[in-house]
């Protein structure tokens, strides 16, 4: 009887514990896959940088985030009116997401995985996280409103298209649909940020931005910071949207954007890299040593 392949002793792994096999397969001292070491090092380092910005840099970065997304909104409106296609408009919106990356600006729901990893690793605190979230959200809205005002003044022939898109965001068929679209938007933008954090290739980043725009706009997801720019522009054109309508919409969308980014994307990744994060927090390995092992 011929023995099965699985029954044959492996000269490399026979007699080794699972931990020893993990260490043999990686180049680090934490018996984890190298990809997880890389993820932890990159997210903690970048998150700590964002959380420790001084007020002027933080405010200006958030303002530019709203302006950069406004560029994507402009491209989206132009393509939507020219083609009538929401899918093509979504791909055009990806220009705004690409501008965020290349110009090193900030969008509200980008700020979940990276800073929270930094806090868990002991490189910052929760007050800094709240400061980052609130400042980024407010400055995104202010920068976006300024850009929306310019769009409305410069493009009077596009007012109807802008109003129709904004009313589509405000008027949802049911609360359940609204909540689901908000969760999806938060998860999609947060995942897009993590994907771009994992590569230094600008071409790959551009592709991720185009796909993210296609999904967020093409599926008509509800994203508080992005959709708000369109809604602001529509209100400036005289669309039938009151401030109360916007505030009620915003109060629902933003919390579920956060839940989508935090529960669907951030939490599982924290569980996956928790041992690395705790090792840094407890001083078993320094952030500099972690970066060296990732290099």
């Amino acid at each position: 009887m011929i023995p099965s392949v699985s029954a044959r002793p492996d000269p490399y792994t026979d007699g080794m514990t699972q931990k020893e096999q993990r260490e043999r397969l990686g180049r680090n001292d934490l018996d984890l896959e190298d990809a997880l070491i890389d993820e932890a090092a990159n997210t903690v380092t970048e998150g700590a940088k964002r959380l420790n910005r001084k007020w002027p840099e933080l405010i200006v970065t958030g303002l530019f985030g709203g302006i950069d997304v406004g560029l994507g909104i402009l491209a989206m409106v132009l393509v939507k009116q020219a083609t009538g296609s929401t899918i093509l408009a979504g791909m055009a919106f990806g220009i705004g997401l690409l501008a965020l990356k290349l110009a090193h600006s900030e969008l509200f729901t980008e700020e979940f995985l990276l800073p929270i990893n930094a806090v868990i690793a002991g490189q910052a605190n929760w007050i800094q996280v709240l400061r980052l979230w609130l400042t980024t959200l407010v400055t995104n809205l202010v920068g976006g409103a300024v850009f929306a005002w310019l769009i409305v003044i410069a493009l009077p022939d596009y007012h109807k298209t802008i109003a129709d898109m904004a009313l589509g965001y405000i008027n949802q068929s049911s609360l359940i649909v609204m909540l689901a679209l908000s969760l999806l938007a938060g998860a999609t933008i947060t995942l897009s940020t993590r994907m771009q954090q994992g590569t230094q290739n600008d071409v790959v980043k551009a592709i991720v931005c185009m796909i993210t725009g296609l999904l967020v706009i093409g599926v008509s997801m509800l994203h508080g910071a992005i959709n708000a720019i369109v809604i602001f522009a529509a209100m400036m054109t005289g669309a039938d949207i009151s401030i109360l309508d916007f505030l009620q919409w915003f109060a629902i969308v933003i919390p579920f954007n956060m839940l989508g980014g935090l529960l669907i994307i951030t939490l599982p990744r924290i569980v996956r890299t928790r041992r690395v994060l705790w090792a840094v927090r407890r001083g078993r390995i320094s952030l500099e040593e972690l970066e060296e092992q990732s290099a």
Side-chain angles (χ1 to χ4, degrees):
M1 182 176 179
I2 300 176
S4 65
V5 174
S6 61
R8 295 174 183 171
D10 188 326
Y12 296 101
T13 61
D14 191 40
M16 295 177 66
T17 66
Q18 189 177 44
K19 178 179 179 180
E20 290 170 337
Q21 291 185 38
R22 288 197 300 265
E23 291 175 340
R24 182 178 65 85
L25 292 170
R27 62 176 182 272
N28 60 79
D29 300 325
L30 296 171
D31 67 290
L32 281 170
E33 298 100 312
D34 295 336
L36 299 187
I37 296 293
D38 295 342
E39 177 178 337
N42 292 337
T43 56
V44 170
T45 301
E46 182 62 27
K49 289 178 181 177
R50 297 185 183 191
L51 287 170
N52 286 288
R53 284 179 179 143
K54 293 184 178 180
W55 279 108
E57 290 85 354
L58 184 60
I59 291 170
V60 172
T61 301
L63 286 171
F64 276 120
I67 292 170
D68 292 344
V69 169
L71 179 66
I73 297 294
L74 174 60
M76 176 184 75
V77 170
L78 293 175
V79 172
K80 176 66 174 178
Q81 177 147 320
T83 67
S85 171
T86 303
I87 292 177
L88 292 177
M91 295 183 70
F93 172 75
I95 294 172
L97 297 178
L98 182 59
L100 280 170
K101 292 303 161 190
L102 298 184
H104 301 289
S105 306
E106 302 285 356
L107 183 64
F108 175 61
T109 44
E110 291 185 295
E111 304 292 2
F112 293 150
L113 177 63
L114 308 185
I116 288 180
N117 272 8
V119 170
I120 293 174
Q123 304 303 305
N125 58 57
W126 290 108
I127 294 176
Q128 289 173 289
V129 174
L130 294 176
R131 165 180 172 266
L132 177 67
W133 285 352
L134 290 174
T135 304
T136 302
L137 179 58
V138 172
T139 53
N140 278 175
L141 294 176
V142 172
V146 171
F147 205 91
W149 176 69
L150 291 175
I151 292 175
V152 170
I153 292 175
L155 302 172
D157 294 339
Y158 290 80
H159 287 186
K160 185 178 185 305
T161 299
I162 294 170
D164 288 344
M165 296 184 74
L167 288 168
Y169 295 137
I170 293 288
N171 299 323
Q172 295 296 314
S173 59
S174 70
L175 179 60
I176 293 298
V177 170
M178 187 176 185
L179 298 183
L181 290 173
S182 301
L183 288 168
L184 284 173
T188 301
I189 296 293
T190 304
L191 178 57
S192 172
T193 301
R194 175 62 198 112
M195 291 170 66
Q196 294 174 71
Q197 185 70 20
T199 179
Q200 298 300 318
N201 189 313
D202 287 341
V203 174
V204 174
K205 291 182 179 181
I207 293 172
V208 171
C209 288
M210 296 303 124
I211 293 174
T212 303
L214 168 66
L215 293 174
V216 172
I217 303 301
V219 181
S220 296
M221 294 181 190
L222 300 179
H223 187 282
I226 294 173
N227 298 159
I229 300 174
V230 182
I231 295 171
F232 289 159
M235 293 169 69
M236 293 173 193
T237 67
D240 187 20
I241 302 173
S242 67
I243 294 177
L244 181 59
D245 291 334
F246 168 72
L247 291 177
Q248 289 175 336
W249 175 89
F250 193 74
I252 295 172
V253 170
I254 284 295
F256 281 87
N257 283 163
M258 295 179 68
L259 286 175
L262 292 170
L263 296 183
I264 299 175
I265 303 300
T266 301
L267 182 59
R269 280 167 171 74
I270 289 174
V271 172
R272 189 169 68 169
T273 58
R274 70 193 185 284
R275 285 196 288 132
V276 187
L277 302 177
W278 278 110
V280 175
R281 185 181 188 90
R282 292 171 177 171
R284 288 174 47 205
I285 182 172
S286 69
L287 186 56
E288 291 74 20
E289 291 172 330
L290 184 64
E291 290 177 319
E292 287 177 6
Q293 296 202 22
S294 173

